[in-house]
Amino acid sequence: MRQLEISDLITAVDPHTGRRLPVQRSEVMRQLREADDERAARIVARMPTDEDGVLDPYAVDRLLVLVHTELQRLSEELRIDERLVHVLGPLLAAIRATTGRAGPFRLVDVGCGLGYLVRRLAATGALGEDVELVGVDLDGTLVGEAERLALAEGLDCRFVHGNAFDLPEAATVYVSTGVLHHFRGPALEAFFQAQAASTALAFCHFDIAANRLAPIGAWIFHRARMRHPLGRHDGVVSALRAHDDETLLRAASVPGIRALVYEPRGVSNPFCTTLRPVIGVRPDLEEPLRRSLGRGARRLVGPEHFAVGAR
């Protein structure tokens, strides 16, 4: 059965201009019912529309801010920022050693939402003063709220409404959390190809670790911590849609990039690993990264670990 997340369907944005596009409630419900998800269709049926049946954009925005606020709380509880720093710290150390540059090194968070990750990294300074922190999202409302929160918290970071791969200033490292499962098939490959075609030196994308326990854990956790039905629904569907390690390595193995997974299936404890990253580095960065990771390098594997052929 095809799994669809409500949050992917109730907003539409032109990826080049960032312009908001109208969304017909009936069309969203049709897609969900075709996927045999009547429960999701009922959630959407309660959302307000105008006289033409177009979802009220202001109501959608309020709902998404609410759900992302709850997701921020989950990120805090799962200590996502610390997990990212555990990998990004050695990765940036390898970049510094290899390039010999003093910085700045620009970290771009793709699909930043409310900017929790960027704001948390700015608050802790865990990556160093030579790292510039930028969050990018196609949803202008979420970006605006991220900017408001960063200003209120007095943080040195910035947020951009638009396409992360169309920024005028090149990224050094692209990162994301909980974004990869939104891309399917050719779109997932295009996501990695865009980064390989840029001047970025590396990427580090965290997403749900695909295993049999993930949907059960997601149901329990989201049922306990998420208040809105949309958040509960999409949390479980995210786990069901998560890509396995082989799929990610195959998609990320694009020319000019060495694709790696940290804490893959078979190496990590499935009861403890909720998210794990797929990492891509320019080939000359792999050995410096392994040296920087120290003993942790044993948890870093490439396509050959699964006999996944790099293209």
Side-chain angles (χ1 to χ4, degrees):
M1 183 177 70
R2 190 166 58 118
Q3 302 288 343
L4 299 174
E5 293 180 57
I6 298 171
S7 55
D8 285 345
L9 303 177
I10 60 176
T11 61
V13 177
D14 185 309
H16 302 293
T17 66
R19 184 173 64 88
R20 184 79 166 263
L21 302 175
V23 176
Q24 287 282 337
R25 184 175 65 184
S26 59
E27 173 61 18
V28 175
M29 294 174 63
R30 181 192 66 77
Q31 293 182 62
L32 291 169
R33 284 176 171 146
E34 284 186 353
D36 294 324
D37 196 341
E38 184 60 36
R39 174 171 170 260
R42 288 197 300 270
I43 293 173
V44 175
R46 295 193 291 269
M47 300 179 66
T49 67
D50 64 15
E51 58 186 13
D52 296 319
V54 173
L55 287 171
D56 180 349
Y58 299 105
V60 169
D61 287 345
R62 288 194 299 271
L63 175 57
L64 291 180
V65 169
L66 169 65
V67 171
H68 277 262
T69 300
E70 294 187 328
L71 286 173
Q72 174 176 303
R73 187 173 68 248
L74 295 185
S75 295
E76 292 170 345
E77 293 175 350
L78 292 173
R79 302 167 78 170
I80 299 302
D81 62 306
E82 295 181 19
R83 296 182 183 211
L84 195 72
V85 169
H86 178 71
V87 177
L88 269 185
L91 177 56
L92 285 164
I95 290 173
R96 293 182 184 102
T98 303
T99 63
R101 292 197 293 113
F105 302 103
R106 186 170 295 109
L107 181 146
V108 174
D109 183 8
V110 183
C112 66
L114 293 182
Y116 167 73
L117 177 62
V118 167
R119 291 188 288 110
R120 182 62 181 165
L121 293 175
T124 61
L127 296 180
E129 295 181 357
D130 60 348
V131 177
E132 179 185 353
L133 301 167
V134 183
V136 185
D137 203 292
L138 286 171
D139 191 305
T141 298
L142 295 179
V143 166
E145 184 66 5
E147 290 179 326
R148 184 189 70 79
L149 291 168
L151 180 62
E153 295 160 356
L155 300 175
D156 184 17
C157 56
R158 63 189 178 92
F159 296 92
V160 179
H161 174 213
N163 188 325
F165 306 129
D166 288 339
L167 299 179
E169 301 167 316
T172 307
V173 180
Y174 285 105
V175 302
S176 72
T177 54
V179 168
L180 292 181
H181 66 270
H182 292 279
F183 296 99
R184 320 305 298 178
L188 181 64
E189 296 179 0
F191 177 77
F192 289 115
Q193 288 167 354
Q195 294 166 81
S198 74
T199 59
L201 298 179
F203 57 72
C204 180
H205 298 292
F206 274 76
D207 209 352
I208 301 163
N211 57 58
R212 287 180 294 178
L213 296 175
I216 299 171
W219 185 88
I220 295 171
F221 204 58
H222 285 79
R223 191 73 186 175
R225 305 302 292 157
M226 302 289 278
R227 291 184 289 271
H228 196 278
L230 185 150
R232 292 178 173 179
H233 173 275
D234 282 8
V236 175
V237 172
S238 294
L240 292 169
R241 298 179 73 198
H243 298 295
D244 60 30
D245 299 331
E246 294 94 325
T247 298
L248 289 177
L249 282 171
R250 187 177 294 110
S253 295
V254 295
I257 290 292
R258 169 64 168 162
L260 304 158
V261 170
Y262 190 73
E263 295 188 328
R265 186 186 72 249
V267 173
S268 59
N269 184 336
F271 290 95
C272 301
T273 305
T274 53
L275 295 98
R276 54 83 183 91
V278 58
I279 301 167
V281 295
R282 300 299 177 182
D284 61 338
L285 275 173
E286 181 178 0
E287 285 308 313
L289 171 59
R290 290 184 179 278
R291 289 196 297 271
S292 294
L293 282 168
R295 295 179 62 183
R298 294 177 297 180
R299 301 182 177 188
L300 192 66
V301 304
E304 61 279 357
H305 181 82
F306 301 100
V308 176
R311 290 187 303 256

